[in-house]
Amino acid sequence: MAVSSPSPHKSRRKPKRAVNTTSKLNSDSTAQTVTRAPSFPLAAFLWPARGGSVSQWELLPLILMAVGLFRWAAGLWGYSGFEKPPLFGDYEAQRHWMEITTQLPVSQWYFHDLQWWGLDYPPLTAYHSWLCGTIGSLIDPSWFALFSSRGSHDPTLKIFMRATVVISEYLVYIPAVVIFVRRFSRLSGVTAWSASVALVAILMQPATILVDHVHFQYNTVMLGFVVASMSSMLAGRNLWAAVFFVAALGFKQMALYYAFSVFAYLLGSCVFPRINIPRLMAIAAVTAVSFVALVLPIVLGTLQDVRRGIDSRPDIDGPRLPLPLFQGLADYMDTEAVYYPVVEQLVQMVHRIFPFARGLFEDKVANFWCALNVVVKINKYPAELLQRAALLATLASIIPPNLILFFRPRKHLLPFAFASTAWGFFLFSYQVHEKSVLLPLAPMTLLLAGSQGLNKNTRAWVGFANILGCWTMFPLLQRVDLVMPYMVLTLLWAYLLGLPPTSLSAYFQEGSSNWVQWATFFIHGAFYLAMGFWHVLVMFLPPPPDKPDLWVVVNVGVGAAGFSLCYLWCLGRLVAESEIVPRSWFGKKRKAKTQ
């Protein structure tokens, strides 16, 4: 009996295995029938890794090496301000911040020679500049010698500066994206292979490479902290989400584009499904402590400089300029008090970070206000009126998505809400820069890792937003001789995802087409044709002498219209996914069929 009993036990398990194997084979064959041929080139490149034939721990290093190679290759081109005096562009700004943070006392960082790339970012950028400058000074102190190094184009310095961008990105942004994609794909029921395809698409996003690795910036550090905050929300670690978002704000003030969504989700998670006061108090306390830790080195450095008798505003370059801002402080505070230098330092820092005195916009950007200025010259109106108009318009655009996120604090809604809110800020807020388009593009591109993220509808809209975003930055890139990397990186990404102008697979290849797909194709097609025709005009037809900015104005108008559609699409998807309105409004039969 001891020998015979295992025999029937095994025989009963064999049919189950056979059924399961048959079912698995049928499902696999069905999947292969549906996706017998990869629907876009990026999927074809990763096709051998499907079905678990390649371990994720083998595939991930290959992905990171490939995207790193493209980043370093992009850095072989020039950069913003190369041999272009008098200010030499953003490259010189970043180098200069490294020298002032390493060569000057802390109390002078936000006061020093504001006419020559004065520091105008939050403290974490200053600390990052100090770290990079300290390491660079060990290699060659002449790179960061105050005054004498201005406009330096040492080839070795260029290699070092490019390396700081790549290393910073690999330390912050890329780990955050890898973890987010893994968590978001699991939450959405996406296979590991599809998540790998989405990861490559996200890391090969052309706008981030063009701005950070070609034009020369560190925006991905800030974006990495934001993605880490979103990833912490997916994991249910709300305290870490607050810490990471404070770090994002501490690196670049543009992270405020996401502040309402972070606040709405964290507050909503404390209210629904039941009120959780301890969680709310913990989040508030951690946020406050994080902000204190952020500014503490500035405060302690200022107090130490006061004790050493160091003036925060010495006459280094020319006469000392009067600062009315601090004359107002003197009316309410004792200028001889111990705390006054700290208050003065913090006020100056805020004043530098939020330059409201510069006006509604400085350059032509593809947002609502620049587009409106083509029809109505809004610059003739008082600055206070324009600030209020920008505030009201921004609030009107960002309140709806964040109300939804507050009442429906669901994890899968985060990219939709973050993207909708960032689009609202980009279109309507004050002092928008061309590179600010990275902020709505980042969470919108993360949708590729979600449910149906690689299907034709999502891929078409995410691809359209990214290509349009690169196109709107073309005037900026053209001014600094970066046309070639713009063309190569944008067309490469379009090719990898099967997007126009290289392919139409994002619209028609997968299955039968319906009226929504045709409508999307015609809308996007009109914009793609306009972008292509615009490039032809810029290349072969100079603008009229009396309208030298004609082509830039056209770029602004087309870009603002396209970005408005992206905002509406993200908001519409947010409403649909949140189920805050009846499903029947979006077609109950179609929803059931999709499921």
Side-chain angles (χ1 to χ4, degrees):
M1 295 296 292
V3 176
S4 60
S5 59
S7 178
H9 178 68
K10 289 183 179 179
S11 63
R12 286 196 299 270
R13 291 179 63 183
K14 285 181 179 178
K16 291 183 179 180
R17 288 180 179 177
V19 171
N20 291 338
T21 303
T22 304
S23 175
K24 185 177 186 302
L25 289 173
N26 288 337
S27 63
D28 288 344
S29 61
T30 303
Q32 290 177 1
T33 302
V34 176
T35 59
R36 181 171 296 171
S39 56
F40 51 96
L42 181 57
F45 292 147
L46 295 177
W47 196 249
R50 74 193 190 282
S53 59
V54 178
S55 169
Q56 293 299 307
W57 293 108
E58 296 173 330
L59 184 58
L60 181 59
L62 295 176
I63 292 174
L64 298 185
M65 285 189 289
V67 299
L69 179 63
F70 278 98
R71 279 159 167 73
W72 192 258
L76 297 178
W77 273 289
Y79 47 82
S80 168
F82 178 68
E83 296 183 350
K84 292 185 181 297
L87 292 178
F88 300 100
D90 290 342
Y91 175 91
E92 169 61 22
Q94 301 291 346
R95 189 210 61 79
H96 178 60
W97 295 342
M98 293 179 190
E99 71 181 3
I100 66 174
T101 52
T102 54
Q103 303 298 320
L104 294 176
V106 173
S107 62
Q108 296 180 5
W109 288 0
Y110 285 96
F111 289 96
H112 175 72
D113 196 5
L114 301 182
Q115 302 304 314
W116 183 274
W117 297 116
L119 183 60
D120 55 2
Y121 280 110
L124 198 53
T125 288
Y127 307 150
H128 176 263
S129 298
W130 174 84
L131 178 61
C132 294
T134 300
I135 296 174
S137 297
L138 296 176
I139 301 173
D140 189 342
S142 66
W143 290 345
F144 307 110
L146 201 60
F147 299 116
S148 63
S149 59
R150 289 186 176 183
S152 173
H153 295 301
D154 184 344
T156 309
L157 173 60
K158 176 186 174 182
I159 295 175
F160 171 79
M161 296 287 285
R162 292 295 195 192
T164 62
V165 179
V166 174
I167 294 173
S168 298
E169 186 168 348
Y170 268 77
L171 289 176
V172 181
Y173 177 72
I174 289 182
V177 171
V178 170
I179 296 173
F180 176 89
V181 168
R182 184 169 298 173
R183 288 175 176 170
F184 193 55
S185 61
R186 288 176 180 173
L187 176 69
S188 306
V190 175
T191 64
W193 177 79
S194 297
S196 297
V197 176
L199 177 64
V200 178
I202 294 168
L203 296 181
M204 286 296 294
Q205 186 185 21
T208 55
I209 300 178
L210 283 169
V211 174
D212 277 26
H213 297 278
V214 182
H215 191 264
F216 202 92
Q217 296 280 321
Y218 294 95
N219 294 289
T220 49
V221 177
M222 178 268 294
L223 293 174
F225 285 127
V226 173
V227 175
S229 179
M230 296 174 65
S231 182
S232 299
M233 294 176 193
L234 295 181
R237 300 169 181 170
N238 293 338
L239 298 182
W240 277 109
V243 172
F244 284 126
F245 188 69
V246 170
L249 286 172
F251 198 84
K252 283 184 181 286
Q253 61 269 34
M254 291 189 301
L256 284 170
Y257 278 31
Y258 307 116
F260 278 77
S261 295
V262 174
F263 177 78
Y265 179 82
L266 293 180
L267 182 61
S269 67
C270 296
V271 175
F272 302 101
R274 65 184 65 87
I275 297 177
N276 192 329
I277 299 298
R279 178 187 295 177
L280 178 63
M281 298 301 293
I283 293 174
V286 167
T287 302
V289 170
S290 299
F291 273 112
V292 170
L294 182 68
V295 300
L296 189 60
I298 298 287
V299 172
L300 295 179
T302 300
L303 293 176
Q304 183 180 13
D305 289 346
V306 171
R307 286 195 297 269
R308 294 165 57 192
I310 297 176
D311 186 2
S312 62
R313 292 179 285 155
D315 298 331
I316 296 178
D317 263 337
R320 182 167 179 166
L321 300 176
L323 296 175
L325 187 66
F326 300 113
Q327 293 176 359
L329 285 177
D331 296 335
Y332 300 95
M333 297 182 180
D334 181 9
T335 58
E336 301 299 325
V338 176
Y339 62 81
Y340 182 79
V342 174
V343 174
E344 184 183 56
Q345 188 71 223
L346 296 178
V347 170
Q348 173 68 359
M349 182 173 63
V350 173
H351 176 65
R352 293 293 300 162
I353 293 172
F354 300 103
F356 290 108
R358 296 182 186 177
L360 186 59
F361 56 87
E362 288 183 280
D363 206 350
K364 294 178 176 63
V365 183
N367 70 348
F368 172 78
W369 301 114
C370 292
L372 178 64
N373 191 63
V374 177
V375 181
V376 181
K377 299 303 178 184
I378 59 177
N379 282 331
K380 65 182 180 181
Y381 294 102
E384 294 78 6
L385 177 62
L386 296 178
Q387 291 176 8
R388 293 172 186 170
L391 176 62
L392 292 176
T394 304
L395 290 175
S397 65
I398 67 174
I399 285 177
N402 289 293
L403 281 178
I404 294 174
L405 190 61
F406 170 71
F407 287 108
R408 294 285 194 276
R410 300 174 181 174
K411 298 174 181 179
H412 71 283
L413 300 180
L414 287 171
F416 294 107
F418 273 59
S420 301
T421 304
W423 279 124
F425 268 101
F426 180 84
L427 288 169
F428 300 107
S429 65
Y430 204 82
Q431 271 291 313
V432 174
H433 192 276
E434 298 99 321
K435 66 184 179 184
S436 300
V437 75
L438 296 178
L439 281 86
L441 289 180
M444 191 173 180
T445 308
L446 292 176
L447 291 172
L448 294 174
S451 176
Q452 301 180 352
L454 296 178
N455 70 356
K456 50 183 173 292
N457 182 53
T458 304
R459 189 156 44 93
W461 276 100
V462 171
F464 170 71
N466 275 276
I467 293 176
L468 182 65
C470 293
W471 180 75
T472 58
M473 289 191 293
F474 180 82
L476 170 68
L477 299 172
Q478 185 184 37
R479 288 198 299 267
V480 291
D481 302 324
L482 298 177
V483 175
M484 184 58 67
Y486 157 81
M487 299 294 293
V488 171
L489 293 171
T490 305
L491 291 177
L492 172 65
W493 202 73
Y495 166 75
L496 290 175
L497 293 184
L499 300 166
T502 61
S503 172
L504 298 179
S505 66
Y507 297 91
F508 298 117
Q509 184 169 329
E510 302 171 16
S512 59
S513 301
N514 55 34
W515 70 269
V516 175
Q517 296 166 20
W518 278 101
T520 302
F521 169 72
F522 282 118
I523 293 173
H524 290 183
F527 279 91
Y528 282 119
L529 288 175
M531 287 187 277
F533 184 63
W534 181 87
H535 274 303
V536 173
L537 292 177
V538 170
M539 186 177 299
F540 297 106
L541 185 63
D546 57 332
K547 294 183 174 74
D549 296 331
L550 178 61
W551 304 144
V552 179
V553 168
V554 173
N555 183 289
V556 166
V558 174
F563 291 151
S564 299
L565 292 177
C566 294
Y567 165 77
L568 294 175
W569 182 82
C570 292
L571 182 59
R573 286 290 304 273
L574 174 63
V575 173
E577 296 292 332
S578 67
E579 300 178 358
I580 204 165
V581 298
R583 287 186 177 182
S584 58
W585 289 21
F586 299 95
K588 190 173 182 179
K589 293 182 179 180
R590 182 180 65 83
K591 184 70 175 180
K593 186 177 180 181
T594 302
Q595 292 178 343

